[in-house]
Amino acid sequence: MKKILVVGAGGQIGSELVPYARKIYGNANVVAADFNESKCKILAESGPFEKLDALDGKAFHEIVKKHKIDAIYNLVALLSATGEKDPAFAWKVNMGALENSLEIARQEGCAVFTPSSIGAFGPSTPADNTPQDTIMQPTTIYGVCKVSGELWSNYYHSRFGVDTRSVRFPGIISNVTLPGGGTTDYAVEIFYEAIKKQQYTCNLAKGTFLDMMYMPDALKACIDLMEADPTKLIHRNSFNVTAMSFDPEIIATEIHKHIPEFRMDYKVDEVKQRIANSWPNSLDDRCAKEEWGWKPTYNLAAMTLDMLEKVQEKLDKGLI
Ligand code: SER
């Protein structure tokens, strides 16, 4: 059975990708790694865990050798709004973790999955139905890292034959671990506030359309792409994927259908708004559909229903 290492396992995607992958590959075959042990207590109970600073190449390499890893899922990243606070640090973390992943993969014969993002696009990109192959001139350090990472990963594939694959994730909506420092975080926070207070103050303006995806679809995208037949892949780093596109008014209206007393007002965060304005409104994900069968399950209505149920359960159990 394939052995997988998830680096950054305690984050929003990692905390759900590890259990999802353990169901597929077996608990013992999916190693969770993160520098923050306390965020990984639950993951460490159901399978192997390693404390790892992904910037420490020697320690990273030792773990890959020790567990005879076949595929590295590198989920280490400072998100867009956090990145703007200290761009040099964001570059160091985001690119450092990728450099180690690629180099170790080259030496040990591993495959590498690293998510890219809608943040890889910029204001000169066509905003509607954004093509797979188009202008990519991002104006955030997060986006600069993502475009560089895409190119670097393709280089490792063409130059060294490393099996690198990636998707450009939109905002990911989830109910296990909160995202932090992202521009799309509002689409998660709105559910927690709707359940707890029936009120939400949105930090992006009305009319700000962004692509989004519910976590179960995001997890499926990661594994399906990594399991796809390589002979069918024309692209590698990185595929446009999306499940829905909405602005704050549209998601608020959907929540309102279930919580009639829900109200939303606005207090725009200038940094996040500037970032959101530079990103596409909606992606064209036909290449992912054609090359590896990408097909999301959750639309806005289905995602909203499930989110409200799950967040209510957390409130009932006193977890939030
Ligand atoms: N969710 C990310 C962010 O907002 C985008 O990939 O930074």
Side-chain angles (χ1 to χ4, degrees), residues 109-175:
C110 311
V112 181
F113 176 87
T114 303
S116 184
S117 161
I118 51 172
F121 298 112
S124 53
T125 302
D128 295 306
N129 213 20
T130 302
Q132 169 67 39
D133 300 309
T134 187
I135 302 165
M136 299 181 80
Q137 294 179 330
T139 48
T140 62
I141 188 64
Y142 177 72
V144 170
C145 291
K146 289 301 184 192
V147 176
S148 308
E150 288 190 17
L151 294 171
W152 209 4
S153 299
N154 274 338
Y155 178 80
Y156 264 73
H157 175 63
S158 59
R159 173 81 202 270
F160 303 118
V162 178
D163 187 359
T164 55
R165 307 184 189 190
S166 168
V167 294
R168 294 179 184 134
F169 272 138
I172 305 294
I173 299 167
S174 66
N175 51 59

Side-chain angles (χ1 to χ4, degrees), residues 12 78-81 116-119 142 146 169-172 179 181-185 275 279:
Q12 187 198 11
L78 297 186
L79 294 183
S80 55
S116 184
S117 161
I118 51 172
Y142 177 72
K146 289 301 184 192
F169 272 138
I172 305 294
T183 301
T184 57
D185 293 4
I275 296 173
W279 290 353

Side-chain angles (χ1 to χ4, degrees), residues 54-296:
L55 301 186
D56 181 346
K58 199 163 165 281
F60 195 159
H61 201 157
E62 286 306 316
I63 289 169
V64 167
K65 283 198 283 196
K66 175 180 158 191
H67 294 276
K68 299 188 171 54
I69 294 299
D70 299 298
I72 299 168
Y73 285 68
N74 164 38
L75 305 179
V76 176
L78 297 186
L79 294 183
S80 55
T82 305
E84 291 312 295
K85 290 185 189 147
D86 189 347
F89 183 60
W91 175 269
K92 189 174 160 205
V93 172
N94 295 6
M95 300 312 283
L98 178 60
E99 177 177 1
N100 286 337
S101 302
L102 292 172
E103 257 311 287
I104 294 164
R106 180 181 70 78
Q107 291 170 45
E108 300 302 325
C110 311
V112 181
F113 176 87
T114 303
S116 184
S117 161
I118 51 172
F121 298 112
S124 53
T125 302
D128 295 306
N129 213 20
T130 302
Q132 169 67 39
D133 300 309
T134 187
I135 302 165
M136 299 181 80
Q137 294 179 330
T139 48
T140 62
I141 188 64
Y142 177 72
V144 170
C145 291
K146 289 301 184 192
V147 176
S148 308
E150 288 190 17
L151 294 171
W152 209 4
S153 299
N154 274 338
Y155 178 80
Y156 264 73
H157 175 63
S158 59
R159 173 81 202 270
F160 303 118
V162 178
D163 187 359
T164 55
R165 307 184 189 190
S166 168
V167 294
R168 294 179 184 134
F169 272 138
I172 305 294
I173 299 167
S174 66
N175 51 59
V176 174
T177 304
L178 287 170
T183 301
T184 57
D185 293 4
Y186 94 88
V188 179
E189 291 159 4
I190 193 170
F191 287 101
Y192 283 80
E193 298 302 297
I195 291 287
K196 288 195 291 191
K197 302 184 193 148
Q198 296 77 54
Q199 198 280 334
Y200 181 61
T201 300
C202 187
N203 56 26
L204 291 184
K206 201 183 275 194
T208 309
F209 278 82
L210 291 167
D211 285 282
M212 301 282 174
M213 183 182 294
Y214 198 29
M215 183 64 93
D217 283 325
L219 303 177
K220 198 170 164 339
C222 299
I223 304 291
D224 284 3
L225 174 58
M226 291 307 278
E227 290 296 335
D229 176 354
T231 64
K232 302 261 164 57
L233 299 180
I234 299 163
H235 298 86
R236 279 183 168 267
N237 305 284
S238 178
F239 284 93
N240 283 3
V241 285
T242 184
M244 59 194 97
S245 165
F246 56 73
D247 84 324
E249 289 291 300
I250 293 175
I251 187 171
T253 303
E254 195 61 36
I255 292 172
H256 197 256
K257 288 180 192 166
H258 303 277
I259 307 177
E261 54 288 20
F262 177 64
R263 295 285 175 271
M264 185 169 76
D265 58 11
Y266 291 91
K267 187 163 182 266
V268 169
D269 176 317
E270 276 176 34
V271 173
K272 289 192 178 184
Q273 189 62 48
R274 201 165 358 102
I275 296 173
N277 289 348
S278 76
W279 290 353
N281 300 328
S282 61
L283 299 188
D284 176 349
D285 59 1
R286 268 177 303 173
C287 290
K289 287 175 172 151
E290 285 163 16
E291 292 175 40
W292 50 278
W294 159 244
K295 191 170 179 285

